Amino acid sequence: VDSLVIIQGELNAPTLEQKGGKIIIGGDQPVTEVKGYVGAVGRNSGEKGGKITITGKSVTVQAGSLIDASGKAGGGDVLIGGDYQGKGDIPTAQRAIIEKDARIWANATEKGDGGKVIIWADDTTDFHGDIEATGGPLGGNGGFVETSGKAILTSSGNVNAGARRGKGGQWLLDPTDVTISGGGAEDVSGGGPNTTGSIDASTIQTALNAGTSVTVTTAIGGGDNGDLTLSSATINKTAGGDATLSLIADQDILTTGTNSITSSAGNNTLYM
């Protein structure tokens, strides 16, 4: 389809005997919208989640939608707008939107590792939903989540890549200039080049409390300097297992207002 793809209702490709179910939606069409249920789930013992790939120039997962690649023996892969840091053969989106109350799951539901969830856009990513890539309740490590906009990232959504009986997973946020704000994530999409992205500090705190390590890294590009700014941000880890917070700027780490990063639970490390 070369114009518009809209997925409504329910779309299933269950896994079978560890042979991953696979769903591929989109291509080079301008708009892809998901407004329902898309599942590649391993529901039986020994089955892992499958692989769900959703592409298009502009990709939106609307409020109330559920994309599920969970499995009893491990989570699968969900790739929206591209693969890790936009690399690989998957066509990349210019814009990716995950609306509030949209859910994306790649959990191990019995024993196994969490899966991989990538949200990528060459220009702008707006992430406001909920992503889970957790290790199994009977054992297994947390998975890997990336929510990145190569130019602009607005992030107020929640990520849980923790593990009850294993090592917690990782959440990567990878924009150009970005502000971690205590006032919530300001919607700056459509602001053009040199617009600073925005991350809600409370969502980083929530992820750390779930035992998920968080990395925010910036890059020079599109006229942006690769600066990371902390603006009246409070990140206080008070629960959960061991986790690491890494704040890595291509150029400068700046501060405005009063900022606080503390921990009173688990063994935790801060890299800046």
Side-chain angles (χ1 to χ4, degrees):
V1 178
D2 60 8
S3 57
L4 173 67
V5 173
I6 299 177
I7 303 300
Q8 295 177 300
E10 187 170 312
L11 183 61
N12 273 298
T15 67
L16 179 64
E17 296 178 354
Q18 298 188 19
K19 297 179 180 179
K22 193 177 290 188
I23 295 175
I24 301 173
I25 301 170
D28 290 328
Q29 73 282 348
V31 178
T32 301
E33 296 180 356
V34 175
K35 51 174 65 175
Y37 171 81
V38 179
V41 179
R43 302 187 186 280
N44 299 312
S45 181
E47 293 178 357
K48 295 183 178 181
K51 184 173 183 177
I52 299 171
T53 302
I54 302 173
T55 65
K57 296 302 183 185
S58 176
V59 179
T60 300
V61 180
Q62 296 190 356
S65 297
L66 171 60
I67 298 173
D68 193 357
S70 300
K72 286 197 171 184
D77 295 347
V78 178
L79 309 179
I80 297 177
D83 207 334
Y84 173 71
Q85 293 188 325
K87 300 174 182 178
D89 298 329
I90 296 175
T92 54
Q94 289 296 308
R95 183 173 184 183
I97 303 169
I98 311 299
E99 294 183 352
K100 186 177 181 181
D101 297 325
R103 296 165 295 161
I104 301 170
W105 295 346
N107 298 317
T109 59
E110 192 169 87
K111 186 176 183 179
D113 297 337
K116 179 175 78 169
V117 177
I118 306 291
I119 313 297
W120 173 267
D122 288 341
D123 187 59
T124 301
T125 290
D126 295 303
F127 167 56
H128 306 291
D130 295 281
I131 296 175
E132 297 179 9
T134 60
L138 301 181
N141 300 322
F144 178 82
V145 176
E146 177 183 7
T147 58
S148 293
K150 188 174 182 180
I152 301 171
L153 169 66
T154 305
S155 178
S156 67
N158 293 304
V159 169
N160 182 356
R164 297 185 196 176
R165 300 190 177 185
K167 182 179 179 180
Q170 177 78 32
W171 178 20
L172 170 66
L173 304 96
D174 186 16
T176 53
D177 287 358
V178 71
T179 297
I180 300 174
S181 173
E186 180 183 357
D187 189 355
V188 295
S189 60
N194 308 319
T195 300
T196 301
S198 182
I199 300 170
D200 187 343
S202 68
T203 64
I204 295 177
Q205 176 177 293
T206 298
L208 294 171
N209 282 341
T212 303
S213 292
V214 179
T215 298
V216 182
T217 179
T218 67
I220 297 173
D224 289 335
N225 297 322
D227 293 336
L228 188 157
T229 302
L230 292 166
S231 177
S232 302
T234 298
I235 302 172
N236 296 332
K237 186 178 187 305
T238 58
D242 300 350
T244 297
L245 172 60
S246 301
L247 305 178
I248 304 168
D250 205 342
Q251 185 158 285
D252 294 328
I253 294 180
L254 309 171
T255 62
T256 63
T258 300
N259 297 277
S260 173
I261 301 175
T262 64
S263 175
S264 59
N267 295 314
N268 306 284
T269 304
L270 170 63
Y271 295 105
M272 297 182 73

